[in-house]
């Protein structure tokens, strides 16, 4: 039996939910209250390396070269899941770098935990199937379960108390419907209330929370059918409805969660005008931050990017295609 390499690196891409996840049925196992549906991007990357080392007294976690106690504890608890499976207690050094703004509503935690799950699995030679990696990635961040896979992905809420059936699964490969996503960055400042705290506040205080959760199954069925039929108009309608319903829950939380700024709202109007008056195949979605993601037909991406660049307050526009799931990029043993 060969010993595990103890070190590996992996890359993952953020995903953008079209049918949104906002609420949990269990916050210890991080189980979503409802399913969700997403697309994995190809233009933004998180690269993560992990090295388990018997000489380390504690985990050493660096995100973009910076160490933060709260983040370190969350990542340490996540690594414990892998240590338990491998039957080891060794601490680890983790370095994770994003080539896009962190914590500003661009799903950095999704790509981060997906990359770390894949890297830790390889470093410890656990060789878990993708579905199991998705279950574990979910423990780090619900949306990370989806970044294990590429293209169009559905997250299943599951019904089991142990969460083993709460995992993502691929729905359609990126190449089978190669849509583009134009991202309008309206600020680089980190968001005020993180998703985790925000969704717990919504569960406790929004009068619309229960109705929101109850409506997700119907939206998921519609979106799933739209993806399978490559029906852009149908996907546009259900995605914008899911996004705006989630933001209605956020706004009706007490105190209200206002993730948008003025430029966010201007971008939404611009996207609607492009579609309704200029015949452009585009729709918007917005997460727990002020950036606007405009999903569009590939032949309309340049027109959408130009239009959003022209909106006052938009600092930068990125254009992404749909990408692959999280992957190991290296696992050769390195000298200590
Ligand atoms: C608004 O996956 O960040 O982006 O499970 O608590 O880590 P935790 O939450 P997270 O929430 C993502 C919320 C969202 C919508 C979505 O991606 O579906």
């Amino acid at each position: 039996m060969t010993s595990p390499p103890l070190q590996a690196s992996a890359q993952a891409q953020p995903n953008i939910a079209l049918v949104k996840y906002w609420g949990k049925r269990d916050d210890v196992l991080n189980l979503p209250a409802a399913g969700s549906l997403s697309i994995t991007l190809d233009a933004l990357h998180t690269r993560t390396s992990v090295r388990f080392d018997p000489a380390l007294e504690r985990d050493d976690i660096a995100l973009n070269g910076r160490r933060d106690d709260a983040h370190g504890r969350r990542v340490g608890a996540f690594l414990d899941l892998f240590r338990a499976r491998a039957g080891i207690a060794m601490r680890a050094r983790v370095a994770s770098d994003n080539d896009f703004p962190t914590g500003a509503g661009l799903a950095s935690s999704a790509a981060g935990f997906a990359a770390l799950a894949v890297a830790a699995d390889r470093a410890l030679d656990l060789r878990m199937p993708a579905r199991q990696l998705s279950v574990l990635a979910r423990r780090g961040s619900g949306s990370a379960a989806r970044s294990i896979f590429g293209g169009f992905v559905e997250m299943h809420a599951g019904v089991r108390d142990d969460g083993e059936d709460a995992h993502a699964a691929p729905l359609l490969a990126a190449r089978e419907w190669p849509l583009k996503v134009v991202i309008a960055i309206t600020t680089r400042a980190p968001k005020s209330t993180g998703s985790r705290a925000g969704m717990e506040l919504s569960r406790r205080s929004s009068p619309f929370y229960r109705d929101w959760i109850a409506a997700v199954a119907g939206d998921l069925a519609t979106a799933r059918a739209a993806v399978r039929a490559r029906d852009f108009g149908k996907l546009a309608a259900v995605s914008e409805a899911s996004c705006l319903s989630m933001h209605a829950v956020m706004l009706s939380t007490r105190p209200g969660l206002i993730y948008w700024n003025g430029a966010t709202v201007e971008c939404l109007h611009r996207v609607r005008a492009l579609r309704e008056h200029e015949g452009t195949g585009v729709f918007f979605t917005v997460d727990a931050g002020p950036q606007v993601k405009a999903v569009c037909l590939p032949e309309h991406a340049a027109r959408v990017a130009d239009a959003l660049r022209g909106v006052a307050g938009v600092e930068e526009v990125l254009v992404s295609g749909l990408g692959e799931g999280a992957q190991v990029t290296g696992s050769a043993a390195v000298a200590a």
Side-chain angles (χ1 to χ4, degrees), residues 15-24 30-32 35-38 74 105-110 113 137-146 191 194-197 199 212 246-247 250 259 286-289 293:
N15 69 79
I16 309 282
L18 305 182
V19 176
K20 301 295 189 187
Y21 150 52
W22 194 254
K24 302 180 197 290
N30 203 32
L31 299 173
S36 53
L37 190 149
S38 62
R74 186 166 163 190
L106 287 181
S108 53
S109 67
F113 282 105
R138 186 205 75 230
R139 298 282 297 271
S141 192
S143 51
R146 301 185 308 233
K191 60 193 163 196
S195 300
R196 185 153 296 192
M199 59 178 89
W212 150 250
M246 177 182 75
H247 282 275
M250 292 163 161
Y259 286 111
V286 188
D287 290 303
K293 293 96 177 191

Side-chain angles (χ1 to χ4, degrees), residues 101-105 185-192 290-291 315:
T102 299
I185 297 185
T186 63
T187 174
R188 291 177 182 283
K191 60 193 163 196
S192 46
Q291 330 302 6
E315 294 186 3

Side-chain angles (χ1 to χ4, degrees), residues 219-265:
D219 286 348
L220 264 179
T222 305
R224 198 186 299 124
V227 168
R228 288 196 175 128
R230 275 84 144 175
D231 184 335
F232 191 84
K234 190 168 171 178
L235 188 62
V238 70
S239 299
E240 288 193 354
S242 177
C243 165
L244 293 173
S245 299
M246 177 182 75
H247 282 275
V249 171
M250 292 163 161
L251 290 168
S252 60
T253 295
R254 297 174 193 199
L257 299 166
I258 308 173
Y259 286 111
W260 299 352
N261 57 35
T264 312
V265 179

